[in-house]
Structure formats: C-alpha cells, structure tokens
Amino acid sequence: MTSIRPYPQIPIALVVPCVLLLFSADRAISGPFAPGSPVTGSTGMVATQEAHATRAAAKVLAEGGNAIDAAVCAGFTLAVTLPRAGNIGGGGFMLIHLEKTNRQTAIDYREKAPTAAHRDMFLDSKGNVDTNLSRSSRLAAGVPGTVRGLALALQQHGTISLKRAIQPAIELAEDGFIVGQDLHQSLKARPGHFKNSPAALQAYYNPDGSPPAIGSRLIQKDLARTLRTIADQGPDAFYAGPIAAAIVADMKANGGIITADDLRDYRPIIRQPVSGTYRDWKVVAMPPPSSGGIHLIQMLNILEEFPIAKYGHNSANTMHICIESMRRAYADRSRYLGDPDFTEIPTKALISKGYAKMLSEKIDLSQATPSGKVSPGLEPVEDLESNETTHFSVIDRWGNAVTNTYTLNFSYGSGIMVAGTGILLNNEMDDFSAKPGVPNAYGLLGGKRNAIEPNKRMLSSMTPTLLFKGKNHLVATGSPGGSRIITTVLQIVCNLVDHGMDIAGATAAARFHHQWFPDEVQVEPGFDPDILASLRKRSHTVKARSLMGSTQTVARINGLFFGASDPRRQGALTIGINDGGKKTRP
Ligand code: GLY
C-alpha cells in the first residue's frame, strides 16, 4: 500500500533508529563539529516524529525539492499519521534559513482567539477557571493557522505545488497506514478524551470502542476528502470554502464561537526571528507570540557568564546555574510575554547581554534562590505528561533549512472532531492566561499581556531554533513538551556547544527543567544521585519526573549531514539521503 511502500529510488544512506550508526559512520570522516572541507553531493536530511512523514519528506528532497517543500509535505503528512499532534486544525511556527541570501525568516501560523472571545470567557459564576471549557469544549479552539501557514511557506519559498506536497497525506488518509505501538497506546490511554465527539470516536476507535490494534490499518476517509479539497482548491477552501462552512456549522450547532469571518480573516504572519550569540555560535529562534526564542537566548546569555564546559555536563554546578537561569527566565515570561501585536514586549532588553549579566550576578553558586524571592509565589500544579505538539527539521542539499514546531496543544487537542471533515480542533485557548495567578495546563503563569482578547494569539513555548557557526555549521532543532520545550532546546544547545557532544549524544542526555513555579527541579531518570544530593544541599527541591521533550535535530557540518530523532518517544525517524548530487535544480 502507498502508506508503507518503501522508496527504492532513494538511496537511503542513514536511517534512524540507526542514529548511532549514522554518527559513527560520519565521525570516522570528521568529528561533527570539527573543521573540514565541505563535501558535495549529499541530498539532505529530515527528522520527524513519525516514519511515514519522514519518508514522504525525504522523497521530496530526493526528487529535487528544497527544505521548504519537504517540510510542508511533512507537515501535512503528520496531520494524518501522527494525529495527536500533527494537524490541520491547530497552528505553529516555522523558522526558515535561506542559504542563498543567508537570511532567516519566521512564519507565525499560531492560532488566534475568535472575535467573540473575551477575557473572562473561561470563568465560572464563582470566578474560578473552568478547565473543562478551556480545554475540552469548542470554546477551547483557537482559529486554526496550519493550512494557510504551510501554504504560505510553500508559496514564498517552495518549488513544488501544494498538490504535490499534500499528495502523500491524501494517500495515507485514503488508503490507510499500519497502526504502530505509539498510535495504539496513545488512543488506548485516552478514550475519555473524545467523549464529546462522536466523530472523533468513530474516526479513531473500533465500533466496540477498542483502539485500533497494532498492525491494523487506520483509514481516515473524511480527512482524505478534506485534504484533497485543499489540494484541489487551495488553502482558501479551509478558510472560506466548503471546509470553513463545515467548521462554522459545527461551531453553531455546538456552542462554539469561531465564525466564517474569523476563518476568512485568519492570516499567518511573517516575522523577524530573534537572534543572539552563544559563545562562538549564532542562535536564531522564534519571536513572540512564542516565548521560546527570547527566553532561550536570555538563558544562554546568563550561562555565558559561567564556565559551563569546565563545570562539566550535568555536574552539580552546571545544573545549578542552568536551574537558576531557567527560574529567572520563566519569571520574566510570566510578566513580559504575549502577542506582540497587542502588547509591547521588551525583547531587546530581555535578550541583552547586559541584562543577563545583571541576572547572573544575582545567582549564588552555593544556594538556590527561592522562586518566591524572584517574584511572588503561587499555587503548585500537577505533573502533566505532555505528548502534545510535534517538531520536524529539514536541511536540503543547498543548505536551506526548516525547523518547525506545530501543535493542537494537548494530545489530540480538545478531542473534538468537526463532523465529516476528519479535522481535530485544537484547545490552544488554554495557553492564554484565563485568570491572573492561575496556571495553565503546564503550570505556566501569565499576566495581562497574555490575557484573552479577541483576535489575539496565545503565548507559546514552542522553540524552533537554528544554530550557526561560521559558514559551514548549521543545526536545526526543536521539541514538543509544553513548558519544557524551551529548557529542552537549551540543553541541546549546551550539549553541543559547551560539552562537545554529537547530536545523538546531545539528544539522548538526561534532561532537567525548572520553570520558576512550581519551585522544583524536575529531573528525568538517569541522573547521578550524588549530583542530585548536591543540588538538594543547595536547597533545590528535586522531583523525579517523566521523560521530557522529543527533539528532532538535523545538522550540516562542513557539507556532511548529521541528525537524530529523540529516542524518548516511539515511531520517530531521521533519514539522511545522498544521491551524489544528480538531481539538482537551479
Ligand atoms: N501549546 C503549547 C505551546 O504552544 O507552548
């Protein structure tokens, strides 16, 4: 079947899960970050959370498409094969590096609040936040941005038609694809999530209510029809045509507030990325309404004040400094970040070296600073498994790169499917601050700048990131993980830059996280107990938590491709391909 057909025409040089193989092969030629002469003929590399999407995107590269073509193809394919996070009913951010002009650009296709949204829409009669409304109802849905976002990327920087980019997604939805363990488990774990949506239950579960078995075929006819309509009629079919009509009818019938005008007027926004430096690397990342880029650079600036490499990877000193940087950055996030089209954001100050130096001077190497002293303390939050959101990265033979994170917010978003379309609605409205001082699902606090307003974009933590050193070192990375996205990307950067790891090592290394409140260091399994004891001695509260993030990273170093899909989650795949440079386009 189409969905599982191998692509014999692509000489697949390196396939993850053989990430380690990939590295040992290349390392023999030259260390990943060592100088060397550029090598020509390599076709590119793709890393996504799901194998069909990686293969579909790799095929586009092999046919001579560029990184943007491949990324857009991956984006649509993941909407079919990774329905918990891949989407056309959500939104996200794409960061693009254009090698020819050495320019980076960002496409913000984040969802926005419907026009009828208002500040207190999720408060009950007692003034408490009703999380059922903000997470599991049609009111939870922001106006989706993915379809126009991906189409804009293709129109501005791509070389293939929208039809070609969507084709694998249509085939995989129409003919079905083999259900793997990841999809099976994620559906088995949450039938209750879909309780408000007969259409979703019908799409994802057997008639007896059981999840599709591993090895069975998941066919999504409604989604196939929707995707074909977009391929035939263009993105406006989603925003002003028959798909929009279905969404609006569903909203009207079920208490939702997204209108035909909201959909028609939705536009992705081209933004200037934020950039900074970390030691001898340039860091380019997503600007607001993502908080990711600003706080990544802010934390790196603080870390630059300390000899992190000398302290060593995940040593007590390194962890302590990182934690103190995270604490301060997330405190600022709660106060200063929001939609830049609605509020003034002091970006320049937040990413300045001077501000970082000032913050670094407040860090006591021997003692944790209680978060209550960084800013007023608030209530603790539950630990949430965050399987939502997904990231993919692509670099092509010309050195163009795409790093893209997009999401429905929770796994499978609100759990609500628009009947007859196969489209899952996001629950991104929960990323707004529904009430000052009340954390969102990730325990993140927000203020006025992230309060709900009509047509405003909710603050995000998604952190698609590009790293450059000189002309021949390019890394594209990013991760899912809710509030832990920014600190996950931070650790990838430090692991590469400070600790000299290759991408596989940087990806696999145990992660930790602090977000100001709750005032605790969350640690994955795998840390040295003596190091954790040393952190406790410095008054850190250390809590064992589940695995964090799922990075998809590719790099082009001196013409050689490196990449790794995070081993933390099942089903991911990185493919590096090499056709000897035969199929080049001007
Ligand atoms: N929905 C998670 C984020 O955008 O940060």
Side-chain angles (χ1 to χ4, degrees):
M1 296 303 298
T2 317
S3 57
I4 52 167
R5 187 175 60 206
Y7 296 106
Q9 66 273 46
I10 313 174
I12 297 176
L14 306 159
V15 179
V16 172
C18 337
V19 180
L20 294 173
L21 260 183
L22 182 159
F23 275 89
S24 54
D26 274 344
R27 200 185 284 134
I29 304 166
S30 108
F33 298 100
S37 2
V39 174
T40 54
S42 290
T43 307
M45 188 170 279
V46 183
T48 87
Q49 188 59 53
E50 202 281 326
H52 293 92
T54 297
R55 290 197 195 99
K59 186 165 189 284
V60 168
L61 288 182
E63 288 170 359
N66 67 16
I68 297 87
D69 299 327
V72 171
C73 178
F76 280 110
T77 307
L78 287 164
V80 176
T81 57
L82 189 76
R84 63 179 157 82
N87 69 81
I88 54 173
F93 302 126
M94 181 181 283
L95 200 57
I96 300 171
H97 167 66
L98 299 160
E99 177 66 13
K100 205 167 171 182
T101 50
N102 192 22
R103 190 169 68 82
Q104 295 87 43
T105 184
I107 299 181
D108 162 6
Y109 59 96
R110 181 74 161 163
E111 303 92 327
K112 64 170 195 169
T115 307
H118 58 92
R119 194 192 62 185
D120 296 334
M121 64 187 278
F122 296 128
L123 302 187
D124 64 19
S125 54
K126 293 193 179 119
N128 297 320
V129 177
D130 181 343
T131 54
N132 189 44
L133 283 186
S134 70
R135 299 173 192 173
S136 308
S137 77
R138 280 168 177 79
L139 293 180
V143 182
T146 297
V147 174
R148 274 198 175 141
L150 295 180
L152 178 68
L154 198 63
Q155 182 217 324
Q156 294 232 318
H157 306 293
T159 68
I160 62 173
S161 67
L162 187 63
K163 214 172 206 160
R164 169 66 188 91
I166 301 181
Q167 192 55 35
I170 296 173
E171 289 172 12
L172 288 160
E174 181 76 41
D175 303 335
F177 63 97
I178 300 299
V179 173
Q181 185 151 355
D182 177 62
L183 179 56
H184 169 79
Q185 286 295 351
S186 76
L187 288 169
K188 189 173 168 193
R190 48 175 70 73
H193 188 63
F194 304 100
K195 64 180 185 302
N196 297 330
S197 181
L201 284 168
Q202 200 183 3
Y204 298 136
Y205 292 85
N206 296 318
D208 67 357
S210 61
I214 296 168
S216 66
R217 186 169 286 273
L218 183 68
I219 292 171
Q220 300 171 80
K221 291 280 183 202
D222 288 345
L223 185 56
R225 196 175 334 103
T226 296
L227 289 165
R228 189 173 291 110
T229 306
I230 297 168
D232 290 343
Q233 300 178 24
D236 284 354
F238 187 98
Y239 292 93
I243 304 165
I247 296 172
V248 172
D250 181 90
M251 287 284 154
K252 275 190 182 148
N254 296 288
I257 55 172
I258 294 177
T259 63
D261 287 353
D262 286 329
L263 285 165
R264 191 199 56 221
D265 295 344
Y266 180 87
R267 293 286 181 280
I269 298 173
I270 296 170
R271 298 193 189 273
Q272 184 60 34
V274 283
S275 63
T277 57
Y278 184 55
R279 308 199 195 276
D280 47 358
W281 288 75
K282 182 180 174 195
V283 181
V284 179
M286 194 66 207
S290 170
S291 59
I294 285 181
H295 295 304
L296 173 67
I297 292 168
Q298 180 187 10
M299 288 187 286
L300 289 170
N301 284 342
I302 298 173
L303 298 186
E304 210 171 41
E305 297 294 323
F306 298 91
I308 298 296
K310 199 172 115 206
Y311 290 160
H313 176 252
N314 282 353
S315 67
N317 274 347
T318 293
M319 288 182 71
H320 176 75
I321 298 298
C322 287
I323 292 160
E324 293 304 311
S325 311
M326 292 169 182
R327 187 195 310 280
R328 285 159 177 80
Y330 277 76
D332 282 348
R333 182 191 191 278
S334 77
R335 184 169 308 159
Y336 296 116
L337 271 284
D339 183 340
D341 297 335
F342 282 71
T343 182
E344 196 76 29
I345 297 171
T347 303
K348 224 167 139 186
L350 287 170
I351 64 171
S352 75
K353 299 279 186 196
Y355 180 55
K357 187 158 177 28
M358 198 190 88
L359 292 177
S360 74
E361 282 161 4
K362 293 188 178 153
I363 296 176
D364 178 347
L365 245 188
S366 63
Q367 270 300 315
T369 314
S371 286
K373 291 216 164 134
V374 173
S375 217
L378 289 154
E379 56 199 270
V381 292
E382 63 200 289
D383 179 33
L384 274 170
E385 186 63 39
S386 39
N387 276 337
E388 78 309 320
T389 307
T390 190
H391 184 84
F392 49 90
S393 301
V394 187
I395 302 181
D396 67 25
R397 71 187 85 194
W398 300 282
N400 303 303
V402 172
T403 173
N404 185 99
T405 317
Y406 74 154
T407 187
L408 290 164
N409 195 21
F410 283 15
S411 274
Y412 301 95
S414 61
I416 296 170
M417 183 174 279
V418 178
T421 67
I423 299 171
L424 268 181
L425 292 169
N426 67 82
N427 59 352
E428 220 71 63
M429 292 292 284
D430 192 68
D431 273 353
F432 278 118
S433 174
K435 184 181 175 183
V438 176
N440 74 358
Y442 306 103
L444 289 169
L445 296 162
K448 271 194 278 196
R449 285 181 161 93
N450 192 33
I452 305 172
E453 290 181 62
N455 297 307
K456 188 178 183 180
R457 292 173 191 221
M458 54 297 285
L459 187 58
S460 171
S461 298
M462 293 187 286
T463 313
T465 298
L466 295 164
L467 304 172
F468 301 88
K469 190 170 84 167
K471 280 196 170 141
N472 291 317
H473 288 58
L474 163 61
V475 179
T477 189
S479 181
S483 59
R484 298 187 266 201
I485 294 174
I486 317 174
T487 52
T488 293
V489 175
L490 176 77
Q491 288 165 83
I492 291 283
V493 177
C494 290
N495 291 348
L496 296 174
V497 173
D498 289 313
H499 305 302
M501 294 183 187
D502 57 34
I503 289 171
T507 300
R511 294 177 186 146
F512 58 98
H513 172 75
H514 196 294
Q515 60 180 47
W516 180 49
F517 282 101
D519 189 353
E520 63 185 31
V521 188
Q522 303 173 11
V523 295
E524 286 189 331
F527 282 90
D528 180 340
D530 291 343
I531 304 272
L532 300 184
S534 167
L535 288 175
R536 288 191 175 103
K537 246 188 170 155
R538 297 181 205 203
S539 309
H540 291 288
T541 301
V542 180
K543 289 247 168 93
R545 290 286 193 234
S546 51
L547 299 174
M548 300 175 195
S550 183
T551 57
Q552 305 295 330
T553 307
V554 296
R556 190 168 185 256
I557 310 293
N558 297 317
L560 297 173
F561 287 90
F562 301 84
S565 287
D566 205 313
R568 285 168 180 75
R569 294 186 190 174
Q570 301 152 8
L573 178 67
T574 296
I575 292 180
I577 47 182
N578 187 336
D579 62 6
K582 276 176 286 182
K583 293 174 186 155
T584 49
R585 279 186 198 173

